[in-house]
Amino acid sequence: MKHLLTTKDLSRDEAELILDLTGQMAEAVSGREVPKLPTLRGRTVVNLFYEDSTRTRTSFETAAKRLSADVVNFSAKTSSVNKGESLKDTALTLQAMGPEAVVIRHPASGAPQRLTQWVDGAVLNAGDGTHAHPTQALLDAYTMRRRLGGIEGRTVAIVGDILHSRVARSNIWLLSKLGARVRLVGPPTLLPTDIDAWPVEVSYDLDASLRDADAVMMLRVQRERMNDAFFPTANEYARLYGLDERRLALMPEHAVVMHPGPMNRGMEIAARVADSPRATITEQVANGVWVRMAVLYLLLTNGETR
Ligand code: CP
């Protein structure tokens, strides 16, 4: 594995290797007085972010630092991108500094794939357009594994704005590969037209979909990607597709509530549900650091410790 661009490209064995390694990273670092490993000492990781991020950028930075790598943070908003510099010229400039890995978030689907042509190091996709967000799906899978004891045979409902969601796409491919039954739930206007080609079942009825779900993944309504009216009002959306306490009570007792963040509290998820012990939201963020340590380690060392 040279790059991490999508979960669709991962084999089941590769995905399971990353999840196993994630657990080992958590174990290796937790309880240490200084929570760091020397594994990537002397290596440089560039974070190249063309879109806003709180969780993913800080998580990749923390992960790289916990592996003792040097980290360069590049934000398009404060760079020569504002003077019109292209992605290619930006990439060639960064390449001249010789990073071993570039983590990229970009609004255009396919930008990380293009980047692989211009840099020598590993490229890690931190979210590209509506296409893919592989480390988010891996941290979601790791969280489910820990909370539910496994993924094979579990039913996962992914709810809401599927159309604009790279998180949904990456989870669909990963979870189905790992043996889960994936159910998409949302208004017809927010479901893609090519859904028939995906390994999923589809429902428009959230109440019915929750009764046998082991996990429900609520998606943020991505207003910034909407240039059309996809539903009448926010209140109407919350009434039909928001997860509130009444709906939470329909789920099996062991079932967990997930959200990749950032959340629209009161819209796709009620504040009391987001803050309930059934929700794994902050646990997902914590697990994200272990997952990103695992993928940086695998891509930069080929699995061999130095
Ligand atoms: N889940 C996620 O990608 O969050 P950020 O946009 O804050 O990175």
Side-chain angles (χ1 to χ4, degrees):
M1 203 168 49
K2 171 141 173 59
H3 308 290
L4 179 62
L5 302 179
T6 70
T7 53
K8 200 175 175 184
D9 294 342
L10 288 177
S11 67
R12 181 170 180 158
D13 282 352
E14 285 171 329
E16 283 181 344
L17 172 67
I18 294 171
L19 298 179
D20 291 345
L21 195 52
T22 297
Q24 290 165 25
M25 287 294 170
E27 238 172 72
V29 171
S30 303
R32 278 190 170 225
E33 199 177 328
V34 179
K36 278 178 99 128
L37 302 174
T39 321
L40 298 184
R41 192 180 291 150
R43 314 279 180 104
T44 301
V45 176
V46 172
N47 282 327
L48 179 57
F49 276 63
Y50 281 79
E51 259 188 5
D52 296 342
S53 169
T54 297
R55 280 147 285 270
T56 313
R57 196 193 62 72
T58 52
S59 178
F60 264 114
E61 181 175 355
T62 306
K65 286 181 171 169
R66 286 199 176 157
L67 291 169
S68 303
D70 296 317
V71 180
V72 177
N73 286 316
F74 173 100
S75 161
K77 284 193 179 135
T78 54
S79 72
S80 290
V81 170
N82 276 335
K83 301 172 196 162
E85 191 161 39
S86 67
L87 175 60
K88 179 175 179 178
D89 285 334
T90 304
L92 295 176
T93 303
L94 295 172
Q95 171 57 30
M97 299 174 204
E100 277 77 18
V102 181
V103 176
I104 178 171
R105 170 168 288 192
H106 201 283
S109 297
Q113 177 75 53
R114 294 284 287 161
L115 189 66
T116 62
Q117 298 165 357
W118 303 318
V119 299
D120 293 336
V123 173
L124 294 94
N125 183 0
D128 62 328
T130 59
H131 175 228
H133 193 349
T135 56
Q136 178 68 45
L138 285 161
L139 74 87
D140 291 338
Y142 180 76
T143 304
M144 278 180 223
R145 231 197 199 194
R146 284 185 59 89
R147 279 286 193 120
L148 304 174
I151 292 173
E152 178 87 51
R154 301 289 190 276
T155 298
V156 181
I158 304 181
V159 181
D161 184 0
I162 314 282
L163 182 66
H164 300 103
S165 179
R166 54 197 178 205
V167 174
R169 285 170 179 76
S170 285
N171 265 295
I172 288 163
W173 294 112
L174 182 64
L175 292 172
S176 58
K177 205 166 297 197
L178 294 172
R181 178 179 174 201
V182 181
R183 181 180 299 146
L184 304 184
V185 189
T189 49
L190 289 175
L191 292 171
T193 49
D194 60 345
I195 217 162
D196 290 347
W198 296 1
V200 294
E201 51 190 69
V202 176
S203 169
Y204 306 109
D205 182 344
L206 181 53
D207 283 13
S209 297
L210 293 174
R211 292 181 208 281
D212 66 344
D214 298 291
V216 60
M217 192 177 292
M218 303 308 297
L219 298 174
R220 182 171 67 87
V221 175
Q222 299 192 37
R223 289 176 185 270
E224 76 278 17
R225 298 193 206 275
M226 294 183 185
N227 45 18
D228 218 337
F230 287 87
F231 45 85
T233 62
N235 280 346
E236 180 68 359
Y237 182 90
R239 191 178 68 77
L240 289 171
Y241 293 104
L243 186 63
D244 56 13
E245 285 179 296
R246 180 192 68 78
R247 286 196 166 121
L248 181 63
L250 299 176
M251 298 181 71
E253 264 181 39
H254 70 272
V256 293
V257 174
M258 308 181 74
H259 194 304
M263 291 181 275
N264 296 308
R265 284 176 182 252
M267 196 168 176
E268 72 265 5
I269 189 165
R272 279 173 181 273
V273 175
D275 296 332
S276 83
R278 306 277 296 275
T280 62
I281 297 160
T282 51
E283 199 176 316
Q284 287 168 258
V285 175
N287 290 337
V289 175
W290 313 129
V291 160
R292 288 165 180 130
M293 284 176 76
V295 295
L296 283 168
Y297 167 80
L298 274 177
L299 294 178
L300 271 65
T301 70
N302 228 348
E304 293 157 19
T305 35
R306 297 194 308 158

